[in-house]
């Protein structure tokens, strides 16, 4: 009876003796990441056996590619992929996370077939720590109806001017004053932020208070609340965004300038001159000949 040596038999039965190549796979992929507004968000993605494949991060809602490999394709400079040398980690970093960053993200590997793993990012709004926060947009108290013009969520570009208008309908008691808050901090002319203007107009049945902030930045993001002394309140969440491509801004300015120059009256005048150009060119010669 023919027998194999023990070492050869062990080699034949060993799992590594004959095995197919193993493709990329995810390791310990969490599905939920929760951070507080303003903190850095780290969305982990670990891939083993990556080989010559690449890792891509994208946002599911917009289907926009954020990073591919070590390159960043997002116009938002808060995004970056973290991949320490010699590791299988491909972490997506979102600096100074805002509530608008909340949603599903996907880490993808361009294998065949493609594999993906989703990660849900939840950014907790600072307004949840605000004692004046109310789930309802409009507040009513003692016959006073309070509301803020516009949508409940506002997105504004950094460097621009924020204007919020609070409307107070007082059916029973007139309003003496309207106080503005950002979170739990009161806003007035002497606030450390500076650049704050508040204008209030009163009638017998209505009071209008307007809050104006100049040159807003990311620190101005948050929940703004107006509270009349007669009761009630209304709030709006403001998200200040940065990273707007300058080309788009300049393009908008150029378009506006072009519309101002080539307005309908001007275009008719240019058309008239063009059609009668030979006549205008001959006028100087006629004058000289006389």
């Amino acid at each position: 009876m023919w027998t194999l040596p023990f070492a050869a038999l062990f080699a034949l039965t060993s799992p590594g003796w004959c095995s197919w190549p193993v493709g990329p796979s995810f390791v310990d992929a969490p599905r939920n990441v929760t951070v507080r507004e303003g903190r850095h968000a780290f969305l982990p993605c670990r891939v083993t056996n990556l080989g010559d494949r690449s890792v891509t991060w994208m946002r599911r809602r917009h289907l926009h590619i954020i990073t591919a490999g070590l390159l960043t394709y997002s116009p938002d400079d808060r995004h970056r992929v973290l991949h320490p040398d010699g590791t299988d980690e491909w972490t997506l970093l979102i600096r100074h996370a805002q509530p608008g960053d909340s949603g599903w993200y996907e880490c993808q590997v361009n294998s065949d077939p493609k594999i993906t793993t989703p990660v849900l990012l939840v950014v907790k709004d600072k307004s949840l720590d605000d004692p004046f926060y109310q789930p309802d947009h409009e507040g009513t108290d003692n016959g006073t109806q309070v509301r803020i013009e516009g949508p409940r969520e506002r997105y504004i570009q950094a460097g621009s001017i924020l204007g919020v208008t609070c409307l107070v309908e007082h059916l029973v008691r007139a309003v003496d004053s309207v106080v503005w808050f950002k979170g739990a901090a009161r806003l007035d002319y002497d606030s450390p932020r500076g650049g704050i203007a508040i204008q209030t107009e009163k009638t017998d049945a209505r009071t209008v208070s307007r809050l104006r902030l100049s040159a807003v930045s990311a620190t101005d993001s948050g929940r703004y609340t107006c509270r009349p002394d007669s009761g009630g309140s209304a709030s709006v969440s403001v998200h200040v965004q940065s990273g707007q491509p300058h080309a788009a801004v300049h393009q908008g300015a150029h378009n506006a300038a072009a519309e101002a120059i080539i307005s309908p009256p001007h275009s008719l005048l240019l058309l008239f001159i063009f059609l009668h150009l030979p006549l205008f060119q001959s006028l100087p010669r006629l004058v000289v000949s006389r």
Side-chain angles (χ1 to χ4, degrees):
M1 182 177 178
W2 180 77
T3 59
L4 290 173
F6 177 77
L9 181 62
F10 177 79
L12 289 174
T13 57
S14 174
W17 179 78
C18 182
S19 60
W20 296 102
V22 179
S25 61
F26 297 108
V27 180
D28 300 331
R31 296 180 60 88
N32 298 319
V33 174
T34 302
V35 297
R36 193 169 181 270
E37 179 182 355
R39 300 291 181 86
H40 295 346
F42 297 88
L43 279 59
C45 180
R46 293 184 57 195
V47 185
T48 61
N49 304 312
L50 183 61
D52 59 352
R53 307 296 183 179
S54 63
V55 177
T56 300
W57 274 101
M58 68 180 301
R59 187 161 188 183
R60 179 181 291 181
R61 183 175 67 182
H62 305 298
L63 298 179
H64 288 170
I65 295 178
I66 302 175
T67 64
L70 297 176
L71 300 178
T72 302
Y73 290 92
S74 171
D76 192 337
D77 58 5
R78 298 180 301 125
H79 295 152
R80 180 185 175 189
V81 66
L82 304 179
H83 174 61
D85 292 338
T87 68
D88 54 8
E89 298 179 2
W90 297 84
T91 303
L92 177 64
L93 166 64
I94 304 177
R95 297 185 298 111
H96 309 297
Q98 301 297 318
D101 296 321
S102 299
W104 285 99
Y105 294 77
E106 284 190 358
C107 180
Q108 301 181 352
V109 178
N110 65 340
S111 55
D112 187 14
K114 179 179 66 177
I115 59 174
T116 66
T117 181
V119 180
L120 176 62
L121 173 63
V122 178
V123 181
K124 298 178 64 176
D125 197 326
K126 289 180 180 179
S127 61
L128 297 179
D129 301 327
D130 179 4
F132 300 115
Y133 170 73
Q134 296 181 356
D136 296 330
H137 180 59
E138 299 179 3
T140 303
D141 189 17
N142 297 329
T144 300
Q145 297 181 354
V146 188
R147 65 184 179 90
I148 288 181
E149 288 185 337
R152 300 186 182 186
E153 299 277 340
R154 295 192 188 177
Y155 295 86
I156 185 172
Q157 189 64 31
S160 57
I161 298 174
L162 170 64
V164 184
T165 301
C166 178
L167 305 177
V168 183
E169 306 284 347
H170 32 83
L171 306 178
V172 178
R173 177 188 167 189
V175 173
D176 292 330
S177 63
V178 177
V179 181
W180 286 91
F181 294 87
K182 177 182 180 290
R186 179 170 176 171
L187 298 176
D188 53 34
Y189 302 100
D190 297 329
S191 296
R193 185 222 184 257
I196 298 176
I198 300 175
Q199 180 183 7
T200 304
E201 301 173 359
K202 300 180 182 180
T203 63
D204 294 337
R206 189 181 192 187
T207 298
V208 180
S209 181
R210 295 182 176 87
L211 172 68
R212 181 185 176 95
L213 275 67
S214 62
V216 296
S217 63
T219 57
D220 292 311
S221 297
R223 180 172 294 274
Y224 290 81
T225 303
C226 64
R227 293 178 59 87
D229 60 355
S230 58
S233 65
S235 301
V236 60
S237 293
V238 176
H239 309 283
V240 179
Q241 299 176 318
S242 59
Q244 177 75 11
H246 295 289
V249 177
H250 295 324
Q251 186 65 30
H254 292 325
N255 290 340
E259 291 176 0
I261 296 174
I262 314 298
S263 58
H266 293 82
S267 60
L268 292 176
L269 178 60
L270 291 176
L271 180 60
F272 177 83
I273 295 175
F274 177 79
L275 295 176
H276 297 80
L277 184 59
L279 176 60
F280 285 107
Q281 291 176 341
S282 62
L283 286 177
R285 291 194 296 271
L286 293 175
V287 174
V288 172
S289 61
R290 291 180 181 178

